[in-house]
Amino acid sequence: MADHNAAGPSRTGPQLPTEPAADPAPERRSRTYEVMARVRAVESLQSELWDRGLVSGELHTGVGEEAVAAGVVGQLRDGDAMALDHRATGPLVVRGVDPAALLRETLGLENGLCHGMGGHMHLFAPDVLAASDGIVGSSGPTACGLALAGRHRRPGTVAVAFFGEGATNAGPLLESWNLAVAWNLPVLFVCKDNGWAITTRRRDVTGGHLVRRARSFGLRVRSVDGWRVEAVTAAAGTLLDAARAGRGPGLLHARVRRPDGHFLGDAMLRVLTDPVAQMKTLAPGLWSSARTSGGAPLRGRAGAATHLGGRFAALAADRAFRRRDPLAHARRRLPPEVADMVDARVAEEVAALTADLEAELSAGPVGGAR
Amino acid sequence: MSTLRFGAAVDAGLAAAMAEDDSVVTWGEDVRLLRRELLVRFGKDRVLDAPISEAAFVQAGVGAALGGLRPVVEVMLADFLATAWSALLNSVAKVTDFSGGRWRLPLVVRTACGGWYGDGGQHEQALWGSLAGIPGLKVVVPSTPADAAGLMLAAVRDDDPVVVLEHKLLSEAWLDYLGGSTRGNLALDVPAAGAAGEVPQPVRPTPIGTATLRREGRDLSLVAVGVGVHRALEAADRLATEGIEAAVLDLRTVAPLDREAVVEVATRTGRLVVVDEDYIRAGLSGEIAAVLSEDGVGARYARVAVEGTIPFDRGREHQALPNVDRILQAAKALA
């Protein structure tokens, strides 16, 4: 492990400017779009590998969260730390971690980022002080500890915690908000609010208002459209500056979409993407159970069926992703010829990555695929 | 009798319990989706979605049971039980004793556990040994659809807290929910006899605390729970081709342990291998060694269990879990 008390991060991937404000605006926009496009491309590759049966278990992508990753992580400096959740790939790519190492870890290869021990949900990059955790809500308390260590060992640095709004019902996360305020820790909490806790609607399990809730803890809060990278960057910048200067922790509330569902193969999503096959599987059991004697009266059963229907309808409405695709938005902010150039560069990178991976895959069985 | 898949069988046991007693209420993360068939039969008042607040909604189960319900609290994965450990350790397991037996706690905690599908060491732990170490908790781990239904029904009828662990590899419903069944190209070694089987209709309760012999044998005993039972049966088939007849004892309940059954089979065969998907230290496998020792059984003993963090990589995951080759090796070392 690197001695991160002394050494700065040694990055293998492309660098983002550490002082984005010093860049001329068009150049900055182009770099931001490029890193977002790289994140999308790496996660698309992950999805493809999963589809092919080369990745076992669950796979959570951060598609829809690219602007949050780029807008927040793009502003981090040497010595800053990150506590990540189960969608950690994007922030790590933005931080400059080698995409090839991330993809190999997704495949469970010995030469992956963590030697194939953790997989995509448990990614650790000590040289950039980034640790992820698959237990919902853990990132908040971990970031508090990283920030405390930062205050001792790396003054002027911050720690960032990423989590979804579902995590704001986990006790330890709420406790970490109080801890950060009570100890005046340089923490930025980043809440990616996609409106769904796994496959349950936020409104069915969350009371009150998240922004007001965070403010009542004494956090400095900004709420933004998470698909607009310029909005994320501006709000995160303000909060990071305050935290860095010792003026207290902040929370960035970013409204995002989740077009891939909670994880790939999301059962709720499949009902929408493959309705005929799914209804063939689901309908007989539902129908026979609804008609079995012993249980609720008819009105209760009808209410339950209505609830299920409403849940799917809400998901369907939520899937209008294209208009709020963070990547498309970032692209629209560039002159078309610049955007084309960036796309070509990323495509070239991805082609090289794919070729390397395919070479490794042809060397032997991976991930338990047939 | 009807043929049910393992996951459907657990729900059939719960449905039977809900139909016979309207104080049975279930809640947990995504439960209205996962238990949608219970939802449309028993209504929203008895099937509730919970926020990702395990510490609160498990502890709420204590209050609900004290207040007159028979809650079935579902924590999605056994690994996440850790976030509600205080509720389990300090409340669920203590109420009856602290009240001098004046207040019983008819609470079921239901959770999915286990690996063999490559989900990494934080989402596929077994943990039944850790749970069984807590006095005041009963812990059951079915290996067949009949016992999945029967142990769930028995757990809900029990007046004391019971943790029901359903192994994900046996449950088509869990593998499907986790995205698995969308991919025909993922190779999973699912034991057919555990994944689907005959379930009596109406569901018959399986007595908690009783093991059952799945295979007779005079040379050696393999003692297991959950998927381990099926791995042991496969190992026994292979041993038989080499002239070694192995008995397979399915414990079904980890706490309270069926000591008599363990002692009986060990005494009869003189050799015993524990097949345990849980951690090797301070758990089920060591407990069985202690039982043999306390009862003066001089059987030769070995164990195949999980010795470290379960690796994400499928190849190393397979090595870490009690696979058939490891069982054979341990068995032959005793032979």
Side-chain angles (χ1 to χ4, degrees):
Chain A
M1 193 177 122
D3 177 9
H4 47 68
N5 294 332
S10 62
R11 299 180 194 166
T12 45
Q15 298 260 336
L16 267 191
T18 49
E19 297 284 350
D23 273 16
E27 171 71 3
R28 192 169 71 232
R29 287 180 182 192
S30 158
R31 280 170 186 257
T32 301
Y33 171 66
E34 180 162 343
V35 80
M36 287 171 65
R38 184 175 298 117
V39 169
R40 177 73 58 90
V42 169
E43 293 198 310
S44 299
L45 263 177
Q46 276 182 327
S47 301
E48 193 194 313
L49 296 168
W50 188 88
D51 284 335
R52 285 165 61 189
L54 298 168
V55 182
S56 57
E58 304 160 54
L59 183 68
H60 313 77
T61 77
V63 173
E65 299 182 354
E66 295 90 346
V68 180
V72 174
V73 183
Q75 301 189 68
L76 297 185
R77 302 176 188 166
D78 288 356
D80 289 345
M82 300 197 294
L84 304 165
D85 62 6
H86 50 292
R87 304 186 201 281
T89 302
L92 290 172
V93 170
V94 178
R95 196 73 169 118
V97 171
D98 180 9
L102 289 166
L103 287 164
R104 290 194 298 257
E105 185 62 29
T106 308
L107 289 165
L109 298 175
E110 187 69 59
N111 59 359
L113 181 71
C114 302
H115 306 294
M117 280 295 289
H120 90 285
M121 207 174 355
H122 317 105
L123 295 166
F124 291 81
D127 47 351
V128 289
L129 287 167
S132 58
D133 200 314
I135 300 299
V136 169
S138 301
S139 61
T142 301
C144 287
L146 286 165
L148 183 68
R151 195 155 70 190
H152 282 276
R153 303 286 183 172
R154 295 171 295 277
T157 62
V158 295
V160 182
F162 285 91
F163 49 86
E165 98 291 342
T168 63
N169 291 324
L173 187 85
L174 296 178
E175 293 168 32
S176 78
W177 291 1
N178 181 59
L179 191 62
V181 172
W183 290 358
N184 192 38
L185 294 170
V187 176
L188 173 60
F189 297 102
V190 180
C191 176
K192 304 164 292 175
D193 184 352
N194 57 34
W196 291 87
I198 322 178
T199 62
T200 301
R201 278 180 294 185
R202 177 184 56 215
R203 69 167 209 204
D204 290 339
V205 286
T206 303
H209 189 281
L210 283 183
V211 169
R212 286 201 290 272
R213 190 195 285 187
R215 285 208 173 104
S216 75
F217 275 83
L219 290 167
R220 183 179 279 107
V221 183
R222 295 283 183 281
S223 185
V224 296
D225 283 325
W227 54 278
R228 292 172 56 223
V229 68
E230 69 282 10
V232 173
T233 306
T238 305
L239 297 171
L240 284 167
D241 286 347
R244 231 180 256 295
R247 296 201 306 275
L251 183 137
L252 178 69
H253 174 254
R255 295 176 293 274
V256 298
R257 297 285 172 125
R258 198 183 70 172
D260 283 354
H262 175 70
F263 35 37
L264 298 183
D266 184 316
M268 282 276 287
L269 208 54
R270 266 185 277 149
V271 173
L272 302 181
T273 54
D274 193 6
V276 178
Q278 284 301 305
M279 282 327 285
K280 262 191 211 160
T281 315
L282 300 180
L286 284 171
W287 180 239
S288 104
S289 187
R291 295 170 61 215
T292 306
S293 62
L298 186 61
R299 200 198 302 179
R301 298 184 191 217
T306 308
H307 167 86
L308 272 183
R311 199 158 167 155
F312 287 110
L315 187 66
D318 223 42
R319 293 207 70 216
F321 176 64
R322 228 170 290 162
R323 278 175 296 142
R324 293 184 174 174
D325 178 352
L327 191 62
H329 173 76
R331 196 179 197 282
R332 282 195 295 271
R333 299 171 71 233
L334 300 179
E337 65 280 6
V338 176
D340 288 345
M341 262 167 47
V342 173
D343 285 346
R345 213 158 40 224
V346 173
E348 202 177 312
E349 252 180 65
V350 170
L353 265 177
T354 310
D356 288 351
L357 279 178
E358 292 299 340
E360 299 210 34
L361 289 172
S362 62
V366 161
R370 285 183 207 281
Chain B
M1 285 280 185
S2 58
T3 302
L4 289 185
R5 289 179 160 181
F6 186 91
V10 183
D11 283 355
L14 180 51
M18 291 179 82
E20 70 184 17
D21 184 348
D22 68 6
S23 66
V24 180
V25 175
T26 187
W27 65 78
E29 291 133 333
D30 276 5
V31 155
R32 282 185 176 164
L33 182 76
L34 291 165
R35 311 294 151 230
R36 55 192 170 267
E37 292 182 11
L38 299 177
L39 173 70
V40 296
R41 178 171 169 195
F42 297 102
K44 291 195 287 182
D45 292 345
R46 295 178 64 193
V47 181
L48 284 83
D49 278 326
I52 305 176
S53 313
E54 290 96 351
F57 75 71
V58 174
Q59 187 81 41
V62 175
L66 292 176
L69 294 180
R70 301 182 87 85
V72 177
V73 179
E74 175 159 359
V75 175
M76 187 170 275
L77 303 183
D79 316 71
F80 308 161
L81 279 179
T83 64
W85 207 251
S86 180
L88 281 171
L89 173 70
N90 291 316
S91 298
V92 172
K94 299 289 191 286
V95 165
T96 302
D97 288 338
F98 281 172
S99 70
R102 296 186 63 206
W103 221 340
R104 306 286 286 274
L105 204 73
L107 171 73
V108 173
V109 175
R110 168 187 185 173
T111 189
C113 73
W116 305 92
Y117 67 102
D119 217 0
Q122 201 183 52
H123 281 61
E124 60 170 67
Q125 297 168 94
L127 301 182
W128 47 67
S130 308
L131 290 160
I134 302 173
L137 291 187
K138 296 176 184 173
V139 181
V140 299
V141 189
S143 71
T144 65
D147 279 345
L151 284 168
M152 176 50 98
L153 179 59
V156 183
R157 285 184 180 172
D158 202 294
D159 286 330
D160 295 316
V162 182
V163 182
V164 178
L165 291 146
E166 46 181 316
H167 201 295
K168 280 165 279 170
L169 190 73
L170 300 178
S171 170
E172 196 265 349
W174 272 111
L175 293 177
D176 177 70
Y177 174 83
L178 296 169
S181 67
T182 59
R183 300 183 289 164
N185 48 9
L186 191 68
L188 297 176
D189 187 4
V190 178
E198 296 283 298
V199 176
Q201 297 293 334
V203 175
R204 270 204 301 274
T206 302
I208 293 173
T210 61
T212 189
L213 206 58
R214 297 284 180 203
R215 181 193 169 106
E216 193 48 273
R218 60 175 189 279
D219 301 327
L220 172 79
S221 306
L222 302 173
V223 176
V225 287
V227 166
V229 172
H230 302 283
R231 300 290 185 250
L233 286 167
E234 194 182 332
D237 283 344
R238 303 238 306 252
L239 288 169
T241 63
E242 299 176 31
I244 301 170
E245 288 301 327
V248 175
L249 184 71
D250 179 356
L251 291 170
R252 303 196 289 194
T253 299
V254 181
L257 201 60
D258 188 344
R259 296 175 67 112
E260 278 178 32
V262 172
V263 167
E264 189 278 324
V265 79
T267 306
R268 194 150 50 78
T269 58
R271 300 183 188 90
L272 183 143
V273 178
V274 184
V275 177
D276 188 8
E277 196 183 320
D278 200 3
Y279 297 123
I280 198 162
R281 281 187 296 190
L284 174 62
S285 61
E287 184 62 23
I288 287 175
V291 164
L292 297 180
S293 199
E294 283 167 355
D295 281 45
V297 181
R300 296 192 64 199
Y301 164 94
R303 53 181 166 172
V304 182
V306 177
E307 296 180 13
T309 299
I310 302 170
F312 167 72
D313 165 40
R314 284 296 297 286
R316 280 173 279 166
E317 178 207 34
H318 183 80
Q319 285 310 313
L321 298 178
N323 64 62
V324 174
D325 289 333
R326 287 182 64 199
I327 299 169
L328 289 174
Q329 209 176 3
K332 287 177 189 170
L334 292 189

